[in-house]
């Protein structure tokens, strides 16, 4: 895996943050992807209007394709086996609903507005994710 | 269909940011989380950069009486740190660390020509459905705002 230039990382981050900010000013809501995915599939009751959530979710892969075509084709590496992907997906889906957000809603948006719940949630999922990687890679061995 | 095109444009911008910063690459995300290994700081740069325009939008928001395409702002105001928040975030982190996918990058990665994001997203939606079956019964307490 090639090291990233800080410029690409910062540029990508600015796009993400601008999107989240625009979503707030346009729709009045947090650009939380887990909440949007739940609303777009009608798994969540309430939340953002279905059309907006579905449009946002459809836009995500379109944006990724645009970058792949125009800038750089991504060198995506997924090492997880299928049972691991299923377990991870179940945990992410259940956990983000229980905790009301993920990396975007709590991470980007929550930190930007200094929400105490989001700051605590972000610290918690960062710590549990790092601990999980540590156990998987350095204790069990991977 | 109110707000469909603006929300689509914003989703495209968001997905482009995830791809440009390589956050759609689980190996990159796990390399950030692997603090005891060959640490990759990319995710920290991405988050730090993303917070800036997002925070500016929250400052602008204070000058607006209502959003441009909706009747009111619907931003969670709760400041209560409860067990669902902590437990949910902890479970989410375990899943995130296991595969290196969180919801945005997994959805953006659906068109990369690999099958793994599809399986992850299917399992993620199943996990959300399980949460609804357990906690979000029609007779349950009034809904919390989305985070």
């Amino acid at each position: 895996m090639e090291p990233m230039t800080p410029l690409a990382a910062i540029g990508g981050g600015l796009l993400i943050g601008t999107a989240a900010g625009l979503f707030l000013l346009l729709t009045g809501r947090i650009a939380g992807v887990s909440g949007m995915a739940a609303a777009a599939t009608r798994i969540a009751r309430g939340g953002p209007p279905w059309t907006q959530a579905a449009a946002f979710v459809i836009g995500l892969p379109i944006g990724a394709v645009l970058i792949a075509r125009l800038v750089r084709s991504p060198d995506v590496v997924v090492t997880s086996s299928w049972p691991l992907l299923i377990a991870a997906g179940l945990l992410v889906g259940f956990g983000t609903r229980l905790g009301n957000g993920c990396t975007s809603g709590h991470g980007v948006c929550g930190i930007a507005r200094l929400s105490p719940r989001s700051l605590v949630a972000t610290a918690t999922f960062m710590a549990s994710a790092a601990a999980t990687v540590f156990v998987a890679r350095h204790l069990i061995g991977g | 269909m109110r707000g469909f095109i603006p929300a689509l444009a914003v989703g495209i911008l968001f997905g482009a940011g995830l791809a440009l910063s390589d956050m759609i690459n689980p190996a990159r995300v796990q390399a950030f989380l692997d603090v005891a290994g060959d640490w990759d700081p990319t995710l920290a740069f991405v988050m730090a950069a993303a917070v800036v325009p997002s925070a500016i939008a929250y400052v602008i928001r204070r000058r607006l009486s209502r959003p441009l395409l909706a009747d009111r702002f619907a931003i969670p105001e709760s400041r209560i740190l409860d067990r669902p928040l902590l437990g949910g975030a902890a479970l989410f982190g375990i899943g995130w660390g296991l595969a290196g996918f969180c919801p945005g990058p997994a959805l953006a990665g659906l068109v990369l020509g690999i099958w793994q994001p599809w399986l992850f997203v299917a399992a993620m939606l199943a996990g959300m459905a399980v949460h609804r079956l357990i906690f979000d019964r029609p007779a349950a307490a009034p809904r919390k705002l989305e985070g």
Side-chain angles (χ1 to χ4, degrees), chain A residues 1-4 6 8-35 37-38 41-48 51-68 71-72 74-109 111-118 120-122 124-126 128-134 136-138, chain B residues 1-8 10-28 30-37 40 42-43 45-47 49-55 57-58 60-61 64 66-70 72-104 107-112 114-117 119-120 123-132 134-138 143-147:
Chain A
M1 197 171 61
E2 294 285 309
M4 283 287 287
I10 292 168
L14 288 174
L15 287 181
I16 294 168
T18 303
L22 284 174
F23 196 79
L24 169 81
L25 297 177
L26 290 168
T27 71
R29 287 178 179 276
I30 305 283
V33 178
S34 57
T41 51
R42 297 197 191 275
I43 291 172
R45 282 180 250 268
T51 48
Q52 283 173 11
F56 181 91
V57 167
I58 293 167
L60 293 174
I62 297 175
V65 166
L66 283 177
I67 294 297
V71 182
R72 156 174 59 82
D75 177 25
V76 172
V77 180
V78 188
T79 52
S80 308
S81 62
W82 66 265
L84 202 60
L85 284 166
I86 292 176
L90 288 170
L91 285 165
V92 168
F94 186 86
T96 52
R97 295 309 296 150
L98 187 63
N100 282 105
C102 61
T103 342
S104 50
H106 280 315
V108 174
C109 301
I111 291 175
R113 66 194 181 94
L114 297 175
S115 152
R117 273 172 62 85
S118 291
V120 168
T122 304
T124 304
F125 66 65
M126 287 281 181
S128 77
T132 302
V133 170
F134 182 80
R137 289 198 176 172
H138 301 291
Chain B
M1 294 298 284
R2 190 182 186 195
F4 183 88
I5 296 296
L8 181 71
V10 167
I12 291 172
L13 202 60
F14 201 108
L18 291 171
L20 184 63
S21 58
D22 207 30
M23 290 296 99
I24 55 171
N25 187 356
R28 180 83 59 194
Q30 285 180 316
F32 169 80
L33 296 170
D34 188 6
V35 288
D40 181 319
T42 304
L43 191 144
F45 281 101
V46 177
M47 277 201 97
V51 164
V52 175
S54 185
Y58 282 97
I60 297 172
R61 179 242 147 155
L64 298 177
R66 47 173 283 192
L68 301 173
L69 297 174
R72 62 181 186 90
F73 284 99
I75 296 165
E77 300 295 345
S78 168
R79 303 172 71 87
I80 301 165
L81 306 175
D82 51 14
R83 283 167 66 181
L85 179 80
L86 295 172
L91 290 176
F92 161 50
I94 294 171
W96 189 34
L98 279 179
F101 278 122
C102 56
L107 289 163
L110 290 177
V111 288
L112 295 176
I114 51 177
W115 56 271
Q116 288 93 341
L119 182 62
F120 177 89
M124 179 181 86
L125 295 176
M128 291 179 171
V130 169
H131 174 268
R132 171 169 165 158
I134 297 174
F135 292 102
D136 195 14
R137 300 201 173 259
R143 285 190 44 78
K144 289 171 285 188
L145 284 168
E146 301 299 317

